[in-house]
Amino acid sequence: MKKLIAFIAIILILYSCNTSDRGELVGTIGKQWNPEKPFGMTLIPGGAFIMGKSDDDFVAVNDAPTKTVTVRSFYMDETEITNAEYRQFVYWVRDSTVRLKLAILADEVGATAGDEGIGEFAFVDQENEEMTPYDQYMYDNYFGMGDDFYAGRKINNNIDIQWDTANYPDEYYSEVMDTMYIPSEEAYNGQRTIDVTKLNFQYTYMDMQAAARDDSKRRKDFIIKEDINIYPDTTVWIKDYNYSYNEPMHNDYFWHQAYGDYPVVGVSWKQAKAFSVWRTLYKNSYQKSRRRQQINAFRLPSEAEWEYAARGGLESATYPWGGPYTKNDRGCFRANFKPLRGDYAADQALYTVEAKSYEANGYGLYNMSGNVSEWVDSSYEPSSYDISSNMNPNVNDTGNLRKVLRGGSWKDIAYFLQVSSRDYEYADSSRSYIGFRNVQDYMGTDVVLNEKLGDAR
């Protein structure tokens, strides 16, 4: 017994010698963390501002009464999301869809890696000797058990997809690729076109607001699954304008490289939300591969965040550049909109312009007024300012499909360019004059507006 006690005492002494906290409460040990500014974004320092109409609402909508609110710091895209950026999303969904179809067919026909055919695209966990014990456990106990038989299986991203028909490796590959194109009877002039109805993005999220209000249900009851077709509606260039020739915009605007740096349009509120989720997953996938800390989610801004950022640090200004005029001291228009009672070209732009056009506001944000209206993550209620909080206000009722638009567009009059003007469209609608940009929450010591703007960035 004495030997046992002596042994335990030695162990305790050795343990105390090997710890650096000296028995004090010092917290858990973690890696050093520093904030990383997301690419293409700028930091908007938090602070308070007067939200709402600073002048008389001459159209008598009266849906934006003045109200002092405070918002926390966040990052915001310097420009609207462009066609080239959204095409990256479309390509990713397209390629992932093809790889999943190839893997499923390989599984069905028993093809495996090494056969130089469709088997090269088989699920990477299929008879893979390099599976970790955890992967093996998940494979044995969960895969094939849910509603989706192939949910959770890992597709092979290391093999290049062959789009040239001359390079198809076998008939199974040809069969899968054929399903990705519109049927021959719907094609014309020999064109082979991707069937965009196949480009769907699935994701899940948790309704935090509902979960916070009702703790009587289980966690799974608040998990929402979305399945969104993500291809922009290019026909908006025709549908939005009766008896007007806009076919060139329908044919070229989204796909042609000439418009790569122009804001994407024809995207609904739901598609903008899906893009934000994908952008987060895409970045975090890279972070995981580099064993780095995962980032906060990209998302649509709240209505208060958008207006605060659009003001660029100016108090009670009419426009992002101040006001009250839409021209600068040289007589040039300061945004892309419809001036002079319908002279669309007076501002040197007939439709949209490149996302980084005109002068940026005080926070380095471009086209917060004009070019395209922007979706925000708020539902439209005329009285929402009266019921919302003064701290990070956001009224987003999931049952209200009217979602707020901000900033005005290339086809709007100057009233909608005012930073306090509110408009709305339905969440499943898309228009030739509506786009969006993302924000991301800022982590760490908060940055406030009364600091020097140069330091805040």
Side-chain angles (χ1 to χ4, degrees):
M1 184 66 181
K2 292 181 179 180
K3 291 182 179 181
L4 178 61
I5 293 174
F7 177 75
I8 294 175
I10 293 173
I11 293 296
L12 291 174
I13 292 172
L14 290 174
Y15 176 77
S16 63
C17 292
N18 289 331
T19 58
S20 58
D21 58 20
R22 299 183 180 182
E24 303 293 343
L25 182 65
V26 297
T28 57
I29 299 175
K31 296 181 179 179
Q32 186 177 8
W33 180 86
N34 294 300
E36 177 184 353
K37 186 175 82 70
F39 179 76
M41 286 187 158
T42 187
L43 177 61
I44 311 299
F49 76 110
I50 300 175
M51 185 177 180
K53 289 288 183 185
S54 55
D55 301 318
D56 289 337
D57 191 355
F58 65 87
V59 298
V61 179
N62 297 323
D63 61 351
T66 55
K67 176 179 182 177
T68 300
V69 301
T70 304
V71 296
R72 55 174 291 157
S73 301
F74 58 94
Y75 294 104
M76 179 176 254
D77 281 323
E78 294 176 353
T79 69
E80 301 122 344
I81 297 299
T82 64
N83 284 318
E85 291 170 333
Y86 198 87
R87 280 202 303 266
Q88 184 180 354
F89 177 35
V90 172
Y91 284 152
W92 187 92
V93 172
R94 180 200 64 182
D95 293 354
S96 298
T97 302
V98 170
R99 293 182 188 279
L100 179 60
K101 285 175 172 284
L102 290 169
I104 290 175
L105 186 56
D107 185 68
E108 291 175 350
V109 301
T112 57
D115 64 3
E116 298 183 356
I118 195 177
E120 300 298 328
F121 294 88
F123 291 110
V124 295
D125 54 20
Q126 187 171 323
E127 300 181 5
N128 191 335
E129 296 179 356
E130 297 181 359
M131 289 177 64
T132 65
Y134 172 77
D135 291 336
Q136 186 68 55
Y137 174 82
M138 297 297 290
Y139 179 82
D140 294 338
N141 292 276
Y142 289 99
F143 293 161
M145 302 298 179
D147 297 334
D148 185 350
F149 184 78
Y150 291 102
R153 301 291 296 274
K154 297 180 180 179
I155 59 177
N156 189 348
N157 292 308
N158 298 321
I159 306 298
D160 293 335
I161 297 175
Q162 299 297 330
W163 296 100
D164 188 343
T165 56
N167 296 326
Y168 286 1
D170 58 23
E171 60 179 342
Y172 295 121
Y173 191 96
S174 301
E175 177 183 342
V176 168
M177 296 302 288
D178 187 53
T179 65
M180 293 299 297
Y181 292 87
I182 61 174
S184 57
E185 62 269 18
E186 297 180 15
Y188 59 92
N189 292 336
Q191 293 182 348
R192 201 160 174 263
T193 307
I194 290 286
D195 184 355
V196 297
T197 63
K198 304 291 181 62
L199 305 182
N200 296 325
F201 179 68
Q202 294 183 357
Y203 69 95
T204 57
Y205 69 95
M206 185 172 178
D207 189 344
M208 296 292 186
Q209 294 288 336
R213 291 191 299 266
D214 186 358
D215 59 359
S216 64
K217 296 180 180 180
R218 299 182 60 184
R219 180 186 178 92
K220 67 180 182 65
D221 296 327
F222 302 104
I223 297 178
I224 312 298
K225 181 177 181 179
E226 296 284 359
D227 189 350
I228 305 295
N229 183 271
I230 53 89
Y231 193 82
D233 184 1
T234 58
T235 65
V236 293
W237 290 105
I238 298 175
K239 292 188 297 186
D240 288 347
Y241 311 98
N242 294 326
Y243 307 108
S244 179
Y245 176 67
N246 289 310
E247 277 80 349
M249 301 298 284
H250 163 265
N251 296 335
D252 301 327
Y253 185 76
F254 180 62
W255 276 110
H256 201 286
Q257 195 56 43
Y259 297 101
D261 293 329
Y262 286 61
V264 66
V265 297
V267 174
S268 69
W269 183 84
K270 292 182 178 181
Q271 289 173 320
K273 294 274 285 187
F275 174 91
S276 306
V277 173
W278 165 80
R279 186 178 180 182
T280 305
L281 295 173
Y282 189 74
K283 179 62 177 179
N284 277 333
S285 176
Y286 175 82
Q287 295 291 97
K288 183 178 180 180
S289 68
R290 296 296 187 274
R291 299 181 181 275
R292 297 176 183 173
Q293 185 90 18
Q294 293 204 343
I295 64 164
N296 277 337
F298 294 103
R299 56 182 176 82
L300 295 179
S302 68
E303 196 171 3
E305 287 173 331
W306 191 97
E307 183 173 330
Y308 178 74
R311 291 182 178 277
L314 300 178
E315 284 288 345
S316 301
T318 305
Y319 302 105
W321 53 84
Y325 305 110
T326 56
K327 292 183 178 181
N328 60 20
D329 55 3
R330 298 183 300 277
C332 299
F333 286 103
R334 309 190 72 158
N336 178 20
F337 67 112
K338 184 175 73 172
L340 306 180
R341 298 186 179 181
D343 185 354
Y344 288 94
D347 55 4
Q348 301 180 346
L350 188 59
Y351 298 101
T352 58
V353 294
E354 292 177 321
K356 189 172 283 189
S357 299
Y358 300 96
E359 293 182 5
N361 74 354
Y363 290 144
L365 304 173
Y366 293 86
N367 289 308
M368 291 300 283
S369 284
N371 211 20
V372 292
S373 297
E374 299 178 12
W375 292 113
V376 299
D377 191 33
S378 302
S379 300
Y380 180 78
E381 285 287 352
S383 60
S384 60
Y385 284 24
D386 297 327
I387 62 175
S388 60
S389 170
N390 286 43
M391 171 66 74
N392 299 314
N394 188 35
V395 177
N396 188 12
D397 181 5
T398 56
N400 184 353
L401 296 181
R402 297 190 302 176
K403 303 304 179 182
V404 174
L405 294 173
R406 285 304 198 110
S409 74
W410 61 270
K411 60 161 282 296
D412 289 320
I413 60 175
Y415 170 80
F416 291 102
L417 269 63
Q418 297 179 14
V419 292
S420 56
S421 291
R422 309 174 68 201
D423 198 3
Y424 71 88
E425 186 54 83
Y426 289 91
D428 56 356
S429 298
S430 52
R431 295 286 183 263
S432 61
Y433 45 86
I434 299 177
F436 68 101
R437 71 180 79 205
N438 282 150
V439 298
Q440 184 191 68
D441 293 326
Y442 176 81
M443 296 283 287
T445 304
D446 210 8
V447 180
V448 294
L449 183 60
N450 57 12
E451 295 183 19
K452 292 183 180 179
L453 188 58
D455 295 336
R457 292 184 189 174

